[in-house]
Amino acid sequence: WAEALLEVSTRLYKKLNNVDELIIKLLKVLSESQIKNLILNVLRQHPNTPFYSGNPAFYLLSHTPYSWDKEISQAVISSIKSHFEIHKQVNSWQFASALEKLSAKIALSMYPEAAEILKIEESDNIHKSVIEAIDKFLATLKFRYDMKETLSIM
């Protein structure tokens, strides 16, 4: 039942006040594999727009109670790439805010791949705010990646 509620969560979000708390409670009812499947299904349904609060993927990704595995991380990185390729000149604080939150959940092992996939060339004609959001996302991910590497050496 929790999974069904989370799948139709877009309608729920518009009706409820304390959505974040509800989502966190519903996610606690599900197993990690159920959450993973749910997130992947929602990302497949909305591959280019998981960064807007009207999209259920945004809330699911933001409130997952653990770091994502490689499969979810790859799907998110692909969604980020698709998003900025489609919305090159859109100045979106919501996109930047979402990336800031999501950089804390992505699998650390994905940093090298994310840095390569999300590389932006000057010729891409991407809005400055989007470039800054991607740079901040990658810097946070790199910091986490470097910290893990440093701690594993010690």
Side-chain angles (χ1 to χ4, degrees), residues 103-118:
S103 66
K105 299 284 186 175
I106 202 158
L108 296 177
S109 63
M110 294 298 296
Y111 169 71
E113 188 175 330
E116 183 61 34
I117 290 170
L118 300 177

Side-chain angles (χ1 to χ4, degrees), residues 32-50:
E32 199 168 312
S33 65
Q34 287 174 304
I35 294 171
K36 176 184 174 179
N37 290 333
L38 176 63
I39 289 172
L40 290 172
N41 287 336
V42 172
L43 280 172
R44 284 185 200 108
Q45 292 170 17
H46 310 278
N48 301 325
T49 60

Side-chain angles (χ1 to χ4, degrees), residues 3-123:
E3 199 169 351
L5 283 173
L6 287 165
E7 281 188 42
V8 296
S9 55
T10 306
R11 285 180 245 139
L12 262 178
Y13 303 151
K14 293 176 185 174
K15 306 269 188 238
L16 300 173
N17 292 333
N18 201 354
V19 175
D20 293 332
E21 190 176 313
L22 174 67
I23 291 169
I24 290 167
K25 287 180 180 179
L26 289 171
L27 286 171
K28 285 181 179 178
V29 173
L30 301 174
S31 69
E32 199 168 312
S33 65
Q34 287 174 304
I35 294 171
K36 176 184 174 179
N37 290 333
L38 176 63
I39 289 172
L40 290 172
N41 287 336
V42 172
L43 280 172
R44 284 185 200 108
Q45 292 170 17
H46 310 278
N48 301 325
T49 60
F51 311 106
Y52 298 106
S53 58
N55 184 329
F58 175 76
Y59 288 100
L60 293 172
L61 291 166
S62 299
H63 296 300
T64 305
Y66 51 83
S67 292
W68 308 322
D69 66 4
K70 189 173 181 172
E71 190 175 6
I72 292 175
S73 297
Q74 285 174 325
V76 170
I77 291 167
S78 293
S79 292
I80 293 169
K81 176 84 170 170
S82 295
H83 177 83
F84 78 72
E85 286 177 338
I86 292 168
H87 305 284
K88 291 181 182 210
Q89 287 300 314
V90 176
N91 181 4
S92 172
W93 67 267
Q94 206 167 24
F95 177 66
S97 176
L99 288 186
E100 193 172 327
K101 275 187 172 184
L102 302 182
S103 66
K105 299 284 186 175
I106 202 158
L108 296 177
S109 63
M110 294 298 296
Y111 169 71
E113 188 175 330
E116 183 61 34
I117 290 170
L118 300 177
K119 191 182 300 179
I120 299 173
E121 305 294 330
E122 274 189 52
S123 61

